[in-house]
Amino acid sequence: MALLVQKFGGTSVGSVERIQAVAKRIAASKEEGNELVVVVSAMGNSTDELSNLAKAISPNPPQREMDMLLATGEQVSIALLSIALHELGVNAVSMTGAQVGIVTESAHGRARILEIRTDRLKSRLENGQVVVVAGFQGTSFSTGGTAEITTLGRGGSDTSAVALAAALEADKCEIYSDVPGVLTTDPREVQNAQLMKQISCNEMLELASLGASVLHPRAVEIARNYGVLLEVRSSWSDDCGTTLTSDLKNSIGLQGLELGKPVDGLELLENQAVLALSHVPDQPGIAAKLFEALSSGGINVDLIIQATHEGNSNDISFTISQNALAEANKICEELIKKLGGKLSTQNHMTKLSIRGAGIMGRPGIAASLFEVLSRSGVNLRLIATSEVKVSCVIDASLGTKALRSVGETFELTEDQITINPMVAGLGEPEVRGVALDKHQAQVSVRKVPDKPGTAAALCSTLAENGITLDMIVQSERKHSDGSQDISFTLNKDDRKRAGNALIPLLAQWPGASLEDGPAIARISAVGAGMPAKIGTAAKMFRALAQANINIEMITTSEIRTSCVIAEADGTKALNVVHNGFNLHQNI
Ligand code: ADP
Ligand code: ASP
Ligand code: MG
């Protein structure tokens, strides 16, 4: 007998017939002798429909009332599924988040789970009942002591399910959806997307936060942190889906189920060099040429950052190991002779990185990293952000000092700190999946001071307002007054709030202003084998160049490469990159 948590998404319970089909599935699993906790989402698009009703009344409805409204969607589906189970003779009981005791923070619309009381669930399971729990919702206690209904954020039923599995120490959490499992990319965009048999939680965390909506990133974070065995499967067939793997098995700490320490590692990689090409032409194929030439020279490029300037030229910076500097210099010099542009290099650099899960999902983490570095007087030469790792390239002479302050800030122990780690990902695929995010907007802050603390100030101001900024690029170029530009992408829905939040900060920097870029899409490739393989980024840039797609921005992290492109090119880009890595061939 196994204890299983099974989650059925909106499409899977989108009609009476589908609810009946899901009930049959559950009945069969119960018949096999399993103990079952079932989590369901609201039927079909009902969360969107409820949301639209509110928007028809107010452009800016109070978040508390939105939670009150949206939580009703799941209440409908748990009751209907329970009724369907009773019809099949299965003893089932529906429970809301509050009835179970899913206790969350009070942040309406994006509450994190603090605790799940398991006693009420366990007593029903002991009675042989199937418990049908409303996903996406919980309850918090307001300062006045009144219980408030909260929601976890769109797509949050996955998180409810995995959190229940962690709290109950279930044998497995099965996520049933309208796809056969996790595919190499979104099958709605790319017809020949293929099913993956398995994927690591770190890769899935990156993909999920970069647009692969099949799993809520926070669900993957919980699976990773508490070692929940997670499977994604089709609601319509009995085929095996995708298994997510993780080596960690933390116990749920006192800090709260979803609030456990998000940073669990710190690394210093010494002997790095930064090469910066500026004023190179802004046209398809430039990045491909550069990184192909480096790859043919056997040079393993680590971080890559590119931003477009004044619409007609690019600055591209990248890091390599110091001992490849002479060769890389030669290759770059030859290239700029043909293409135009300027080259500058910096030796004796160090890369400092924090590791964890859900780092970008908690905007305060990157902000506190940048803050502690700026307080120690460390200027950030390059920044690379991602869901599982944030890296800063800094002057080598400040490495040890930076390591100490960052370690203290994130309360890391000696064994969580590594100096010059081995290259990760040997034997793993360089790209396991690709994702498209159409919900990002590109923004530049013009004329900010070039001194420690600028990136930290931007990040903290946005973090205080719950806004994550992604793909941060500090430009190579300086204005005549020595100031520089910082570009970043953020979720479109946060753009207006970000503008308002930044007003007081920008007022402190004379001449600074916020500028919107053109409509963009972001395409990302993710693979655990990326650090160990030479030329992965070059392949992605070549695939885009062959389709005549211009790259406006590039950022990378350890296991991902992301490019910002024109919004209209999104689907085409996803297809060419997917096929460029041969992901369409059965894996
Ligand atoms: P549910 O309602 O079951 O939670 P979602 O709509 O949230 O379903 O997630 C499933 C959808 O995610 C699929 O229909 C698919 O279009 C999309 N998707 C995006 N990327 C991927 C991917 N890599 N693998 C599978 N599905 C994906
Ligand atoms: N019903 C919620 C939504 O549509 C939660 C979910 O489906 O996971 O976002
Ligand atoms: Mg979903």
Side-chain angles (χ1 to χ4, degrees), residues 44 78 156 198 231 581:
I78 52 170
Q198 63 176 53
E231 255 180 40
F581 283 109

Side-chain angles (χ1 to χ4, degrees), residues 7 9-10 41-42 44 47-48 74 136 153-158:
K7 180 254 167 180
S41 296
T47 310
D48 288 332
E74 271 69 16
F136 174 59
R154 296 303 306 268
S157 294
D158 298 333

Side-chain angles (χ1 to χ4, degrees), residues 494-514:
D494 292 336
R495 170 62 188 92
K496 216 165 156 191
R497 272 190 316 125
N500 291 335
L502 289 174
I503 293 171
L505 183 66
L506 296 189
Q508 294 171 25
W509 295 327
S513 64
L514 206 61

Side-chain angles (χ1 to χ4, degrees), residues 3-202:
L3 169 57
L4 304 179
V5 176
Q6 301 183 328
K7 180 254 167 180
F8 295 88
T11 318
S12 311
V13 293
S15 65
V16 164
E17 293 71 28
R18 287 190 174 170
I19 291 177
Q20 288 168 323
V22 163
K24 272 197 195 141
R25 247 201 126 100
I26 297 167
S29 183
K30 178 80 182 140
E31 193 64 24
E32 285 167 18
N34 296 312
E35 285 188 305
L36 297 175
V37 172
V38 177
V39 176
V40 278
S41 296
M43 291 174 70
N45 295 327
S46 59
T47 310
D48 288 332
E49 285 157 13
L50 290 168
S51 203
N52 290 340
L53 285 176
K55 285 201 187 117
I57 298 174
S58 160
N60 200 9
Q63 272 300 333
R64 178 189 182 277
E65 305 311 328
M66 284 307 288
D67 278 1
M68 194 65 107
L69 177 69
L70 297 188
T72 62
E74 271 69 16
Q75 205 171 322
V76 171
S77 48
I78 52 170
L80 291 176
L81 181 57
S82 268
I83 293 169
L85 285 165
H86 278 276
E87 273 304 292
L88 298 176
V90 177
N91 186 357
V93 58
S94 64
M95 293 178 88
T96 63
Q99 284 177 316
V100 169
I102 300 182
V103 182
T104 72
E105 300 174 314
S106 55
H108 285 291
R110 56 185 163 90
R112 283 186 180 259
I113 300 174
L114 299 173
E115 185 192 349
I116 296 186
R117 310 228 165 106
T118 52
D119 46 334
R120 297 176 211 160
L121 282 171
K122 280 184 179 154
S123 71
R124 285 172 170 84
L125 289 171
E126 274 158 24
N127 290 340
Q129 289 180 298
V130 170
V131 193
V132 184
V133 179
F136 174 59
Q137 57 175 259
T139 178
S140 76
F141 291 97
S142 77
T143 36
T146 322
E148 293 283 354
I149 291 175
T150 52
T151 66
L152 312 183
R154 296 303 306 268
S157 294
D158 298 333
T159 296
S160 310
V162 182
L164 279 160
L168 288 163
E169 297 185 42
D171 295 289
K172 202 175 7 165
C173 179
E174 299 172 340
I175 305 278
Y176 289 91
S177 189
D178 58 357
V179 275
V182 180
L183 308 186
T184 46
T185 192
D186 189 343
R188 280 184 225 171
E189 303 281 347
V190 178
Q191 274 186 355
N192 53 16
Q194 302 291 319
L195 177 69
M196 302 179 196
K197 288 205 173 63
Q198 63 176 53
I199 179 169
S200 68
C201 280
N202 276 355

Side-chain angles (χ1 to χ4, degrees), residues 274-291 301-319 339 381-384 442-444 470-477 485-489 520 537 540-542 544-545 549-557 561-566:
V274 178
L275 286 91
L277 280 81
S278 62
H279 299 86
V280 291
D282 174 33
Q283 48 184 250
I286 300 293
K289 278 201 190 96
L290 168 63
F291 291 99
V301 175
D302 184 7
L303 304 177
I304 305 174
I305 279 172
Q306 180 209 289
T308 305
H309 288 271
E310 285 100 36
N312 56 16
S313 73
N314 282 332
D315 291 354
I316 307 178
S317 308
F318 57 94
T319 65
L339 301 175
R381 181 67 182 76
L382 290 181
I383 299 169
Q442 187 187 342
V443 182
S444 298
D470 205 349
M471 294 193 65
I472 313 167
V473 180
Q474 312 195 82
S475 82
E476 282 306 309
R477 273 177 228 193
D485 298 342
I486 295 187
S487 305
F488 56 88
T489 66
I520 53 145
M540 179 166 177
F541 305 152
R542 175 54 62 201
L544 293 170
I549 296 171
N550 197 28
I551 306 173
E552 292 181 25
M553 235 166 132
I554 302 169
T555 62
T556 65
S557 186
T561 302
S562 299
C563 299
V564 162
I565 52 175

